Amino acid sequence: MHRDKGASGKTCRQCLEFKPLAEFSGRSGRRSGRRRRRGVCRECRRKERSGAAASPALPAPAASGPAAADAAPGSAPAVPLAAVPLTPAQPAGMNAAGLAIPDPGAAAPESGAETAEAPAADAPKPKRKRRRRKRKKAHAANPAAPSAQAQPQALAKARPVKLPADPPPAPAGLRPTKQGFVRMLGKSDNGRRWYQEIEPELAFILVRERAAVVASRHTIRRLYSNKEFRRLILERDKYTCYFCGQYGDTIDHLLPRAKGGHTTPVNCVCACNLCNQSKADRDLDEFIRASD
């Protein structure tokens, strides 16, 4: 039934009856609005929720025989269901999903028997073997090269190996911090104090060779400034060269700093300018042999 748009009502899609807009609930979401109503009335929605929704009436099957003459002259003759051929998509004995329909008259298979087509569900799956790559040995690529164990022995025979010296023992009461360094305090020539973080081995050497003292558990204090240290060495050696016995006014390191020596009272001596320049960065034994 056609209704104009200005009428204050709406046709229900379920019962096909024209009812006022109050009988339809409002929409929600994007389609909500003042005059936006649902297509099914409240009564039909209530029936759907209760499980008794009315289904549309199906047309009655056409009667055969004498009843067919009473049908309308313009209506098409009814075709029996048995005469409807099956579509290729749904062959006989198959459902809509394409699966075989079991025959109720066929005998059920025994419970202990298993079909040969489908494997047993409880059968364990075979484990896949993990392939491991074979590592090539070093001597396989070059058979003429010596093995890894023979190389250190060959080098030891060729030249003597100089092992590193053991680290100096830590003085009593001194240990590095958690970060692995030792704090060193000192003062410059003009009296300004400075602070430095050094390696523990260097701190142990400075304390052992009387260039610093232990101030606390993680701190040492440098005893002399540059000017004070120079005056200490010259006055201790009475301005006499350690190598030639002449007058000296310079300081030389017995173990050069280029080879790991430090500026400490034990490693420094008074020297003249000539001996200091000629010794350069050579060891004491090497310089004495060369001077002889």
Side-chain angles (χ1 to χ4, degrees):
M1 185 176 180
H2 177 70
R3 299 285 180 176
D4 57 338
K5 296 183 179 179
S8 60
K10 191 175 182 180
T11 302
C12 178
R13 292 185 304 181
Q14 189 72 25
C15 60
L16 304 179
E17 295 182 4
F18 184 80
K19 298 182 179 181
L21 292 178
E23 296 294 331
F24 299 88
S25 59
R27 294 183 181 275
S28 60
R30 295 183 178 180
R31 304 180 64 181
S32 62
R34 291 183 58 186
R35 302 185 64 84
R36 303 289 292 184
R37 301 284 179 166
R38 296 185 180 273
V40 182
C41 62
R42 299 179 187 271
E43 184 178 357
C44 294
R45 290 172 59 86
R46 194 180 305 110
K47 290 180 181 180
E48 289 180 359
R49 292 174 184 173
S50 61
S55 59
L58 297 175
S64 61
D70 300 338
S75 60
V79 181
L81 297 178
V84 178
L86 296 175
T87 60
Q90 185 179 355
M94 304 291 288
N95 58 7
L99 302 178
I101 300 175
D103 188 4
E110 298 181 0
S111 59
E114 295 182 356
T115 60
E117 298 179 359
D122 299 337
K125 297 182 179 180
K127 296 183 179 180
R128 297 179 60 184
K129 296 183 179 181
R130 298 179 62 184
R131 297 181 179 179
R132 296 183 180 180
R133 295 182 179 179
K134 296 182 179 181
R135 297 182 179 180
K136 296 182 180 180
K137 296 183 180 180
H139 64 273
N142 188 7
S147 60
Q149 297 180 356
Q151 285 182 359
Q153 298 178 0
L155 294 176
K157 294 180 179 179
R159 59 179 180 178
V161 179
K162 186 177 181 181
L163 299 177
D166 296 335
L174 181 63
R175 64 183 64 176
T177 61
K178 294 181 179 180
Q179 291 75 19
F181 59 84
V182 175
R183 306 182 185 94
M184 183 172 64
L185 306 177
K187 61 180 180 179
S188 58
D189 295 335
N190 57 4
R192 186 175 181 179
R193 299 188 178 275
W194 50 265
Y195 163 82
Q196 186 179 1
E197 296 175 355
I198 61 176
E199 297 293 333
E201 291 79 8
L202 177 58
F204 301 160
I205 292 174
L206 295 179
V207 173
R208 189 175 67 253
E209 296 185 2
R210 298 190 296 274
V213 293
V214 178
S216 65
R217 182 184 303 177
H218 307 298
T219 308
I220 63 173
R221 184 182 300 278
R222 192 87 181 202
L223 294 177
Y224 313 103
S225 64
N226 294 339
K227 290 183 179 180
E228 293 175 352
F229 182 78
R230 183 176 184 277
R231 185 170 61 250
L232 171 70
I233 300 301
L234 295 179
E235 292 180 356
R236 184 195 64 182
D237 296 345
K238 298 179 181 180
Y239 293 88
T240 303
C241 179
Y242 179 83
F243 306 104
C244 63
Q246 301 295 326
Y247 173 80
D249 54 356
T250 62
I251 297 176
D252 190 21
H253 295 77
L254 297 178
L255 179 63
R257 288 186 296 178
K259 297 183 179 181
H262 300 282
T263 306
T264 59
V266 176
N267 191 44
C268 293
V269 294
C270 177
C272 63
N273 191 19
L274 181 61
C275 294
N276 197 347
Q277 294 294 332
S278 59
K279 181 178 179 295
D281 59 347
R282 292 184 291 180
D283 295 336
L284 179 61
D285 299 338
E286 183 180 357
F287 173 69
I288 292 176
R289 287 196 303 268
S291 60
D292 293 344

